[in-house]
Amino acid sequence: MKYAVVTRSDGLGTRLCAMVNAIDVAQRLGLGFKFSWPSSTYSDADSHAIKHASLLFSDRFIRDHFDPDLDPRRYIKVLDTPITKKLIAKVEESKDGFLIDHWSKQVQIDSAPGVPRRDLAAAFEKIEFSKRLTRVIEAAKSSVPNGAVAIHARRGDLVYGSYRTRLYNQKYAPTALVKSVVKRLIEVGKKPIIFSDDERIKTILKRDTTAIISTELSGSTLKTSDEDAMFDIAAMIACDSVISTRSGFSVVASFANGRPFYNISDFYQMCEGRASILTDIAENPNDYSDLDKAKSLQFVASVYTPVLREGERDDLYAQASILDPDNQAYPHIRATDAMAKGDLSKAEEILRSYTRRYFKSHNMTSSDLAAGFDYISIPNKVAKDALHSSRNPYIKAYASHLDPDPIKQERLAGLAYEADPSSPLLAVRWARAMIATGRPETARRFMINDLDRIKCSAVYEALCDIEDDPHQRVVWGRLSVQSAAENKQAAAKVALALLLNGELEEANAISDALTAEDQSNPAVYYYLSKFYVECGVFSEALVVIEKALAMRPGRLRYQNMKQSILESIANQVVKDPAD
């Protein structure tokens, strides 16, 4: 039998939306339905209500539809495009079905009748929740007064968590706009109920308006995060309408009650939205934390660009950077804007300032230029000119990172270092680029020759990676950890080097300590898996590589390592797929 399946690893709302779509596709195409329920891949997973599937769904639903070993590679992925006749034929010939990854609206099927939005409610009803959550859902629906309008202000992880570095303005509800919409609804006799993961905005709205806060509804005092989440979703379903941003909770509520949701931003023209947010920040500064203010300023800069005066967008991002200095998105956008205008000196200064700060704040343990590169873009002309210029080392460094050609990466990285040979970061990036192009000996000589000038944890770790002599590999690894005790990735490499050098007691002590801690860097788990593989302890290797995959499910070398370990458990023979 062919299936429509779901394997999303993000938040509860978007997972449920994708499940509704998969059930709908299965009904319309005569397929079965299955789902897996991966651990959350969020770095701030505590913000999300992801429990094991057996705690959320009924025993029958688990028995009939849950497949923890579901392999996404056996299915055709459906995201934003329709299911065509050609895809249907391909499934019939060689695939097991469709992997439904689309959540924000109904999946379209060519030459198959669409269903009215209200019929998606029938698909939602086919999801059988556990008895515990069913009681929560019933209590939530009965607690909502007639004529209520749900206001869902998704904010917590977008304002205060790691997601703020990826902007997600389509999901974010600015404080000022939420205030204005609530006040307008009350003026016309509506009953707004506030659903939000931000206690600060709930306190403000309770202080200034007669709006109902979701936690004031009867039955809302619950013990677990998944109960809180399902209560909010069910209560939103019971409301006459939902006003929100494009969040998973608002979309699944819209699917389940058969009515569209209205976007908060649609209540405003651009000029009004800009004025509303900036005026509220100026008149009510105590209503904003630094991160909330930064997020609101960048929202104006990003969403209302067409109505901003000359230079205002850059000013807003600069203010946001001061308020949230660890957010790489803001300087990257400013530098990209400057390059687009031909102001390379300004772009260089912005990138230099942020990148040096990032490197120092991580105690020079990483060769990364920043935590991420979602919002950095270098125009083709600037990238080409970088190959023929002795200036702008940090533009060259970013161009090196972004170029898909390893040879060009190495050349640009070398030019970056030559333009600023005092930088250990640019040195280790060039060395890494040489290693990637198959020149580890050249990289080793370069780093050793300049060691007095560029020595830092990241350089010592690079030397550890390419050292052939087991004893010297231990020396480099220890120097990396001594330079920065928080470099847990280097510590895992030291454990492996000690093991290969026959120093078992110290190797085991380091690996045991790392395994006992929760690691924020998945690479630590990867190198621990290599350690346990070398020891022949495949069960422990599988445990740690699965932790790495939970954090980075798309990382190919982690997937390959897990597959190799599974084969080794069966065959008791292992080969490291990275070698």
Side-chain angles (χ1 to χ4, degrees):
M1 186 175 187
K2 307 292 185 179
Y3 291 88
V5 303
V6 176
T7 63
R8 289 190 71 99
S9 59
D10 47 1
L12 179 63
T14 47
R15 293 190 192 207
L16 292 175
C17 289
M19 288 179 73
V20 170
N21 263 330
I23 292 169
D24 172 49
V25 167
Q27 290 177 320
R28 293 161 67 192
L29 294 181
L31 308 174
F33 164 71
K34 292 194 298 185
F35 73 102
S36 66
W37 200 256
S39 300
S40 175
T41 58
Y42 288 114
S43 58
D44 51 351
D46 290 343
S47 300
H48 302 272
I50 303 301
K51 305 291 186 184
H52 191 275
S54 62
L55 299 175
L56 301 177
F57 304 102
S58 72
D59 292 343
R60 181 173 65 179
F61 193 74
I62 292 290
R63 183 179 65 249
D64 293 347
H65 303 293
F66 182 54
D67 182 357
D69 300 318
L70 196 151
D71 185 353
R73 295 172 295 184
R74 300 179 65 86
Y75 299 83
I76 293 177
K77 187 174 181 177
V78 177
L79 188 53
D80 296 321
T81 56
I83 296 176
T84 62
K85 287 183 177 180
K86 185 177 180 180
L87 290 181
I88 293 172
K90 187 173 181 180
V91 164
E92 291 174 349
E93 290 173 5
S94 61
K95 292 290 185 178
D96 288 355
F98 294 102
L99 171 63
I100 307 300
D101 216 27
H102 194 42
W103 66 271
S104 61
K105 59 183 178 181
Q106 183 192 12
V107 173
Q108 299 301 307
I109 303 176
D110 286 357
S111 303
V115 299
R117 193 174 187 88
R118 63 179 178 274
D119 286 351
L120 288 177
F124 180 83
E125 290 297 325
K126 291 187 177 295
I127 301 174
E128 297 178 7
F129 292 98
S130 64
K131 291 180 180 179
R132 174 178 63 92
L133 289 188
T134 298
R135 289 193 294 269
V136 169
I137 291 168
E138 291 172 351
K141 289 182 176 179
S142 65
S143 70
V144 174
N146 292 332
V149 176
I151 308 290
H152 182 225
R154 163 75 183 279
R155 295 170 51 78
D157 57 333
L158 301 179
V159 176
Y160 304 106
S162 63
Y163 262 27
R164 75 184 195 280
T165 66
R166 298 172 66 182
L167 304 192
Y168 281 115
N169 285 319
Q170 74 275 18
K171 294 185 176 185
Y172 166 65
T175 297
L177 300 193
V178 175
K179 286 182 182 180
S180 297
V181 169
V182 169
K183 290 175 181 178
R184 177 58 182 165
L185 289 172
I186 292 172
E187 287 175 2
V188 297
K190 303 293 185 182
K191 300 175 184 176
I193 303 178
I194 311 303
F195 299 86
S196 181
D197 52 1
D198 184 355
E199 293 300 321
R200 189 184 187 95
I201 197 170
K202 289 191 286 190
T203 300
I204 291 168
L205 291 169
K206 185 64 180 173
R207 180 195 70 195
D208 295 344
T209 75
T210 60
I212 301 169
I213 309 301
S214 62
T215 50
E216 297 173 340
L217 297 173
S218 61
S220 64
T221 304
L222 302 163
K223 296 180 179 179
T224 64
S225 60
D226 57 328
E227 289 176 355
D228 284 334
M230 283 308 305
F231 184 93
D232 281 1
I233 290 172
M236 290 166 67
I237 292 170
C239 290
D240 288 353
S241 58
V242 177
I243 299 173
S244 181
T245 53
R246 196 170 69 97
S247 69
F249 278 26
S250 60
V251 174
V252 76
S254 173
F255 283 175
N257 67 18
R259 293 184 288 272
F261 74 88
Y262 301 96
N263 197 301
I264 285 177
S265 295
D266 291 342
F267 280 68
Y268 291 88
Q269 298 294 327
M270 285 189 177
C271 292
E272 293 172 328
R274 171 194 170 278
S276 177
I277 293 172
L278 296 182
T279 299
D280 193 64
I281 289 173
E283 293 181 352
N284 302 290
N286 293 333
D287 286 356
Y288 292 83
S289 65
D290 283 351
L291 292 181
D292 191 8
K293 184 177 178 181
K295 186 70 177 176
S296 294
L297 292 172
Q298 73 77 29
F299 185 90
V300 174
S302 300
V303 177
Y304 299 140
T305 298
V307 299
L308 300 181
R309 65 178 182 273
E310 181 68 25
E312 186 177 10
R313 174 179 159 98
D314 187 65
D315 289 344
L316 291 168
Y317 277 124
Q319 291 177 57
S321 290
I322 293 170
L323 294 163
D324 186 5
D326 294 327
N327 192 330
Q328 78 276 3
Y330 304 153
H332 284 178
I333 292 171
R334 292 185 67 212
T336 298
D337 286 353
M339 282 186 278
K341 294 177 179 179
D343 193 346
L344 299 191
S345 60
K346 180 175 181 177
E348 173 70 16
E349 179 54 38
I350 291 169
L351 293 178
R352 178 191 292 111
S353 176
Y354 175 78
T355 305
R356 285 180 171 179
R357 181 186 179 281
Y358 179 82
F359 190 52
K360 289 180 179 179
S361 70
H362 286 73
N363 210 358
M364 297 188 279
T365 61
S366 169
S367 60
D368 290 339
L369 295 168
F373 294 86
D374 293 319
Y375 297 98
I376 186 72
S377 176
I378 298 179
N380 288 335
K381 184 179 185 305
V382 174
K384 289 179 181 178
D385 289 348
L387 288 168
H388 308 288
S389 168
S390 60
R391 296 172 296 174
N392 303 324
Y394 285 87
I395 290 177
K396 288 182 172 66
Y398 277 86
S400 169
H401 176 88
L402 296 172
D403 198 299
D405 183 348
I407 302 300
K408 286 185 179 179
Q409 286 180 19
E410 192 270 333
R411 185 180 175 194
L412 283 163
L415 289 170
Y417 174 70
E418 289 172 1
D420 185 3
S422 66
S423 169
L425 171 60
L426 297 183
V428 74
R429 287 194 64 80
W430 188 19
R432 289 288 187 187
M434 284 188 253
I435 294 167
T437 54
R439 297 197 295 143
E441 269 305 306
T442 305
R444 189 178 70 83
R445 287 195 301 271
F446 159 65
M447 287 186 285
I448 290 176
N449 288 340
D450 276 6
L451 195 57
D452 286 342
R453 187 151 49 94
I454 66 174
K455 59 186 177 183
C456 65
S457 182
V459 168
Y460 289 132
E461 185 179 347
L463 285 165
C464 174
D465 287 346
I466 59 176
E467 181 59 60
D468 292 327
D469 178 73
H471 174 73
Q472 187 60 41
R473 190 182 305 146
V474 171
V475 171
W476 293 129
R478 281 178 171 153
L479 284 169
S480 180
V481 176
Q482 288 168 10
S483 300
E486 67 270 29
N487 191 346
K488 304 299 184 182
Q489 177 175 301
K493 292 178 180 179
V494 170
L496 182 59
L498 287 165
L499 177 67
L500 296 174
N501 202 39
E503 301 177 55
L504 304 185
E505 185 175 350
E506 186 178 355
N508 287 327
I510 294 172
S511 65
D512 288 348
L514 291 172
T515 303
E517 298 173 349
D518 288 332
Q519 303 294 340
S520 59
N521 180 359
V524 178
Y525 291 124
Y526 171 71
Y527 287 106
L528 282 172
S529 74
K530 295 180 73 169
F531 175 89
Y532 288 117
V533 160
E534 194 65 33
C535 293
V537 186
F538 302 133
S539 58
E540 192 64 35
L542 183 61
V543 169
V544 291
I545 197 62
E546 284 182 337
K547 289 182 178 180
L549 278 166
M551 299 170 74
R552 295 289 187 275
R555 190 65 58 86
L556 184 59
R557 68 172 178 169
Y558 298 172
Q559 295 172 358
N560 290 342
M561 177 59 88
K562 179 180 178 180
Q563 185 61 38
S564 180
I565 292 168
L566 289 171
E567 291 171 0
S568 300
I569 289 174
N571 302 327
Q572 292 300 295
V573 176
V574 70
K575 183 177 184 209
D576 179 4
D579 292 339

